[in-house]
Amino acid sequence: MSADPLHRAGTPQRSTTNQPPGGSRANAIEVRRSARRRRTVSAYREGDRTVVLIPARMSEAEERRWVSVMLDKLAAQESRRVPGDAELAERAERLSGQYFDGRARPRSVRWVTNQNTRWGSCTPAEGSIRLSHRLKGMPEYVIDYVLLHELAHLLVPGHGPDFWRLLEAYPRTERARGYLEGVVAADRLPHLSTTRGE
């Protein structure tokens, strides 16, 4: 008898491998059923596969629904992962190529923890770009906007009309600026006491 609880004698199980809908990052989806699993569903990446663990008694329709839910959940978790400095530099290079024809070429791009009043900064003479650690965990389009903003400073100093024309190429500029303005506004709200009568 196997020591693996999913493969014990008498345990109903089924394992299926399917192609993920919508071209997910994983190449295949494997569904594993377990009689010991009563209500919980979980999923994880295993190489180029996504493994979804479900109760054995679940119907085919419930299986399809839960596979979809778990793929969305994994994708959301992966999108929240913060890139390191090397990934940030690669991202800046990609964005420069996509929106500025590769003309903005920073020598360094990195996260910093000493910028609490700015989202990012650029020193054109050194070709260095720094992003505030406060951006970590924000949506990718917001981080991309801040990167593009600083990349644009490598091409145009200041915030004149030529600078803003460069940023018009990025379709989420206004949305990202609105998001950041909302974060700043929320930080300025008074922190209300939770104790009544004060």
Side-chain angles (χ1 to χ4, degrees), residues 95-182:
L95 290 167
S96 176
Q98 186 174 355
Y99 294 102
F100 302 147
D101 298 320
R103 294 179 294 134
R105 294 188 183 118
R107 288 190 199 107
S108 69
V109 182
R110 61 191 173 95
W111 295 105
V112 294
T113 58
N114 63 351
Q115 291 190 52
N116 294 314
T117 58
R118 302 177 184 198
W119 297 113
S121 62
C122 174
T123 307
E126 297 173 4
S128 63
I129 292 175
R130 295 159 304 280
L131 295 191
S132 172
H133 70 286
R134 296 180 306 137
L135 289 165
K136 292 181 177 182
M138 289 190 187
E140 284 189 13
Y141 74 91
V142 175
I143 297 170
D144 286 351
Y145 164 73
V146 176
L147 269 174
L148 281 166
H149 185 107
E150 302 310 330
L151 286 165
H153 280 306
L154 293 175
L155 303 173
V156 179
H159 292 100
D162 290 339
F163 175 84
W164 292 111
R165 263 193 292 281
L166 278 175
L167 286 180
E168 286 175 2
Y170 184 57
R172 293 182 159 188
T173 291
E174 289 305 315
R175 184 176 177 196
R177 289 183 72 193
Y179 184 99
L180 293 171
E181 288 169 5

Side-chain angles (χ1 to χ4, degrees), residues 14 16 18 31 33 52 54 58-68:
R14 183 176 57 99
T16 59
N18 303 308
V31 177
R33 291 177 173 257
V52 181
I54 64 172
M58 194 173 274
S59 71
E60 293 289 326
E62 288 173 309
E63 176 184 317
R64 283 190 300 275
R65 184 177 74 80
W66 275 107
V67 165
S68 178

Side-chain angles (χ1 to χ4, degrees), residues 42-77:
S42 62
Y44 60 91
R45 303 280 193 211
E46 186 175 84
D48 62 351
R49 291 183 305 163
T50 300
V51 177
V52 181
L53 306 171
I54 64 172
R57 61 180 172 72
M58 194 173 274
S59 71
E60 293 289 326
E62 288 173 309
E63 176 184 317
R64 283 190 300 275
R65 184 177 74 80
W66 275 107
V67 165
S68 178
V69 165
M70 297 312 287
L71 286 174
D72 289 345
K73 188 174 182 178
L74 282 173
Q77 288 171 347

